[in-house]
Amino acid sequence: YKDAAFAAAHPTVRFSTLYQELEWEIFAACDIPITVDYIDPNPDDAKYRDTLAYMREHSYADFGVEVGTGDQILVLSTCTSDENVRFVVAAKLKDPAHT
């Protein structure tokens, strides 16, 4: 997702469980220092807004997807060659009515 052409060609992620298949719209793909707590399971609204804004501002591509504190978020995170940085792909649930 660091490549703009790849990101444009793959704007969603499908995630299947035993009971349903969910589609998520990617809104950011970025490097995040480990000092940024982006996986807090219960952030207050201000911290949540700040984290979402950080991801969008530092994203390698503009996915054109609006995201807010009312959205359900999926965060995929992996290590990088720098032990102090994680690469994150973040997406919001495309159709929350089907959960």
Side-chain angles (χ1 to χ4, degrees):
Y1 283 94
K2 291 182 179 183
D3 177 74
F6 181 87
H10 303 90
T12 61
V13 173
R14 291 189 183 271
F15 182 82
S16 299
T17 69
L18 185 59
Y19 304 104
Q20 59 189 338
E21 184 169 317
L22 304 172
E23 188 170 14
W24 304 78
E25 295 177 283
I26 297 171
F27 67 87
C30 61
D31 292 317
I32 298 184
I34 61 172
T35 55
V36 175
D37 184 13
Y38 63 95
I39 56 173
D40 183 344
N42 295 303
D44 61 33
D45 282 350
K47 182 177 181 183
Y48 196 36
R49 272 192 301 277
D50 290 347
T51 301
L52 297 174
Y54 182 96
M55 290 178 181
R56 292 194 69 209
E57 289 168 11
H58 292 85
S59 184
Y60 285 96
D62 180 359
F63 291 89
V65 174
E66 294 298 319
V67 64
T69 57
D71 292 311
Q72 293 181 35
I73 303 300
L74 173 69
V75 177
L76 306 172
S77 178
T78 190
C79 299
T80 67
S81 59
D82 182 342
E83 66 185 33
N84 296 310
V85 176
R86 301 295 180 258
F87 180 70
V88 169
V89 175
K92 75 174 188 177
L93 186 58
K94 189 169 183 176
D95 188 2
H98 287 94
T99 59

